[in-house]
Amino acid sequence: MGDLRVTVPQPRGPIVLVWGNARIHLVPPLKTFFKANTHWLIVFQLPACAPDLEPQEGVRSLVKRDLGNLAATDLGQLTRAVKRKLKQIQYRPHLVGGCLTGTGLIMDG
């Protein structure tokens, strides 16, 4: 893997990155990038196997719950069903808030 070069617009404040433990997240070029950009980037590395700390796991659970009995006839039908469920979740902030609350994370605003 070559040098990691990223052009980043100047953020108004620090960016907080909550990072899982996938192998790609642990490669040396990313670690070097994180260390070189601590003035605007704050990285929280999650512990291994911590789905209870990842809000997307709650969203995934909501989608899977709705699709559990779907007998899709093709990939297109499954794709449309997933998109429809994600759109429903998008317009129900209390569902997303519940996924965040389950992690113990706090969202200001």
Side-chain angles (χ1 to χ4, degrees):
M1 184 177 221
D3 288 341
L4 182 64
R5 298 184 194 281
V6 178
T7 302
V8 180
Q10 279 297 330
R12 293 184 186 167
I15 293 175
V16 177
L17 174 64
V18 179
W19 210 235
N21 273 303
R23 279 191 199 146
I24 190 66
H25 298 169
L26 304 174
V27 295
L30 279 177
K31 290 180 180 181
T32 301
F33 176 79
F34 294 156
K35 286 180 183 174
N37 293 286
T38 57
H39 58 284
W40 63 267
L41 181 64
I42 300 168
V43 179
F44 290 100
Q45 189 79 34
L46 293 175
C49 298
D52 53 324
L53 296 176
E54 300 183 33
Q56 78 273 11
E57 293 296 334
V59 173
R60 186 177 297 134
S61 175
L62 291 170
V63 172
K64 284 172 44 178
R65 185 179 319 150
D66 211 46
L67 300 177
N69 292 323
L70 175 67
T73 56
D74 59 27
L75 184 58
Q77 184 182 10
L78 179 61
T79 301
R80 286 188 300 278
V82 169
K83 285 182 177 181
R84 184 173 43 252
K85 184 60 181 177
L86 288 171
K87 183 68 81 175
Q88 290 171 351
I89 292 169
Q90 177 184 356
Y91 289 106
R92 291 173 176 81
H94 66 281
L95 292 177
V96 176
C99 295
L100 285 169
T101 299
T103 66
L105 299 174
I106 299 169
M107 186 167 72
D108 292 334

